[in-house]
Amino acid sequence: MIIGVPAEIKDGETRVAMTPSLSRRCVKLGATVLVQKGAGFRAGFLDTEYRHAGAKIVNTAAKAWGEANLVVKVKEPQPSEFRFFRSDLTLFTYLHLAACPDLAAALVEKQVLGIAYESVEGREGLLPLLKPMSHIAGRLSIQTGAYFLQTQNGGSGVLLGGVPGTMPGRVAIIGAGNSGAHACRMAMGMGARVAMLDLDARKLEMIDEEYRGGVVTLMANPGNIEMAVKDCDLLIGAVLVPNAKAPTVVTSAMVKQMRPGSVIVDIAIDQGGCVATIAPTSHREPTYVKHGVVHYAVPNMPALVGRTSTSALTQATEPYLVNMVTRGINRALTEHEGLARGINTRAGRVVNRQVARALGYR
Ligand SMILES: NC(=O)c1ccc[n+]([C@@H]2O[C@H](COP(=O)([O-])OP(=O)(O)OC[C@H]3O[C@@H](n4cnc5c(N)ncnc54)[C@H](O)[C@@H]3O)[C@@H](O)[C@H]2O)c1
């Protein structure tokens, strides 16, 4: 098997899909690993380290894509990469197709076998390849939000932890899953007053137990969402309906009721976002102001901490890659139901039911 590792080209991306140590393991198992020159640089991994691990450094993206039968990436391919698609290619990466119709169309047209990290299932339906990046994005959402709450960054001038004798900042987190729970941990660590909302009562019970009632938990019905949004300085959107476009749980009218300079960080933007007024932003221009509220919606937040994110991501993908290298892609997919559930496109069709529904494919 020949595995290609192209450099990531999405705006501000710093992660890489393979560390030198994972390359070494794949090479030892018999794979050829082609790493595009400089692909690991922004995550702190040098070409020489990949060479020592037995990987080959190739000069261009065309080589990393063109000479491999399995391409591993981090972010969804960008339009300039669509030209590398071909019918004998397997692509293993985040795809987020519900929010990327053009990418879905290109994968279908070129009959690529597209396995999406975010759709791979573990035991009890958990999403083991989404989870580590959600943890990171959740933690980052609070430090990013705290930064944009600062007056010089366009915010209302609220310090999340406050100081004795002042009110602490108020944080509302909608979605108490992987990213929401880690946002909660950071916000509590900073001393903010936190409200968590979710439709799943068990998640709220877990939060209530963990913080012994120190976090306000609310069922995510429209009335509670409106109250929490109006009351907060920092709103975190962290909902997910797997593979589907994120539901809009915060309306424009709710955003208009927020205090000027309040901040929204919509982590769910990679699935379209869960706030009516949200649109994707980039690391280059991470925010815009609407109705007086600072909106932050970067779809690849973990790139802010490329080293940590690369370690967390590749530790999660390693068993799946090792399985594909050892058994071959077809056998690995046949024998591992959870990995097979990651398939989003195959032989010119969208084969994931929710993705197909979100995009209007049969
Ligand atoms: N922006 C980024 O850089 C980045 C990074 C990682 C993950 N993400 C995204 O963050 C989102 C959340 O991921 P996660 O791993 O935390 O998901 P998760 O499945 O662990 O949690 C999502 C939570 O949302 C809740 N939910 C679903 N519909 C809801 C609704 N209508 N109202 C309230 N709650 C609702 C679910 O019950 C669940 O608890 C996903 O879209 C994921 O792709 C973004």
Side-chain angles (χ1 to χ4, degrees):
M1 177 182 301
I2 305 177
I3 305 174
V5 186
E8 295 296 319
I9 59 168
K10 193 175 173 99
D11 178 69
E13 191 50 66
T14 58
R15 291 167 286 179
V16 60
M18 265 213 206
T19 57
S21 100
L22 179 51
S23 310
R24 176 175 290 112
R25 188 157 179 209
C26 291
V27 169
K28 272 195 180 154
L29 290 168
T32 299
V33 176
L34 307 177
V35 179
Q36 186 181 345
K37 191 167 183 262
F41 183 74
R42 294 215 281 170
F45 299 112
L46 303 178
D47 290 346
T48 48
E49 295 177 72
Y50 286 102
R51 266 198 212 98
H52 286 143
K56 290 185 183 149
I57 302 296
V58 293
N59 280 329
T60 60
K63 285 209 159 128
W65 282 89
E67 294 178 11
N69 41 1
L70 170 66
V71 163
V72 289
K73 271 183 56 61
V74 179
K75 283 313 283 180
E76 70 278 0
Q78 302 299 294
S80 67
E81 295 174 308
F82 294 178
R83 67 198 152 108
F84 300 128
F85 292 172
R86 35 175 235 277
S87 61
D88 59 346
L89 179 71
T90 299
L91 181 60
F92 191 38
T93 187
Y94 290 114
L95 287 174
H96 298 296
L97 293 186
C100 305
D102 293 350
L103 171 59
L107 291 169
V108 164
E109 190 200 333
K110 293 291 165 63
Q111 307 196 344
V112 176
L113 174 56
I115 309 172
Y117 290 163
E118 72 274 13
S119 306
V120 171
E121 287 187 11
R123 272 176 286 129
E124 297 163 8
L126 298 174
L127 305 173
L129 303 187
L130 185 61
K131 196 164 140 183
M133 294 305 99
S134 292
H135 290 171
I136 288 176
R139 290 183 179 215
L140 280 172
S141 67
I142 301 299
Q143 68 186 55
T144 304
Y147 176 80
F148 286 110
L149 275 171
Q150 292 169 202
T151 314
Q152 283 76 358
N153 301 325
S156 60
V158 167
L159 176 65
L160 279 184
V163 287
T166 68
M167 286 296 288
R170 294 154 305 173
V171 178
I173 304 169
I174 308 182
N178 291 313
S179 56
H182 279 255
C184 181
R185 182 172 298 192
M186 289 296 271
M188 289 300 282
M190 280 188 175
R193 230 172 51 182
V194 182
M196 291 283 289
L197 299 95
D198 201 297
L199 287 175
D200 183 342
R202 285 167 315 161
K203 298 253 173 81
L204 297 180
E205 281 161 21
M206 278 160 61
I207 295 283
D208 184 67
E209 242 166 63
E210 186 175 347
Y211 296 97
R212 296 167 183 257
V215 171
V216 175
T217 55
L218 293 167
M219 190 48 68
N221 57 45
N224 282 339
I225 293 177
E226 180 169 4
M227 181 173 66
V229 170
K230 189 175 159 192
D231 272 355
C232 72
D233 301 294
L234 172 58
L235 171 66
I236 308 293
V239 308
L240 174 68
V241 177
N243 299 309
K245 156 107 188 44
T248 302
V249 293
V250 176
T251 63
S252 256
M254 294 178 193
V255 174
K256 281 184 192 158
Q257 292 184 58
M258 294 176 79
R259 218 162 66 83
S262 298
V263 175
I264 298 174
V265 176
D266 195 346
I267 305 175
I269 191 65
D270 56 352
Q271 295 290 130
C274 63
V275 176
T277 51
I278 210 75
T281 60
S282 66
H283 288 293
R284 203 168 310 191
E285 275 188 58
T287 60
Y288 60 90
V289 176
K290 185 148 192 188
H291 305 315
V293 174
V294 180
H295 289 60
Y296 176 99
V298 173
N300 55 338
M301 292 172 72
L304 286 168
V305 289
R307 182 82 179 182
T308 303
S309 298
T310 295
S311 297
L313 175 63
T314 55
Q315 280 166 35
T317 55
E318 178 160 348
Y320 296 91
L321 265 176
V322 164
N323 196 357
M324 284 193 262
V325 171
T326 318
R327 291 166 202 277
I329 294 168
N330 282 339
R331 221 179 119 200
L333 287 168
T334 311
E335 291 176 4
H336 194 307
E337 198 186 327
L339 178 62
R341 286 188 184 276
I343 302 174
N344 274 205
T345 60
R346 179 162 62 185
R349 298 186 61 198
V350 174
V351 296
N352 177 293
R353 194 184 299 271
Q354 291 96 326
V355 173
R357 195 175 296 143
L359 293 173
Y361 283 85
R362 289 179 67 200

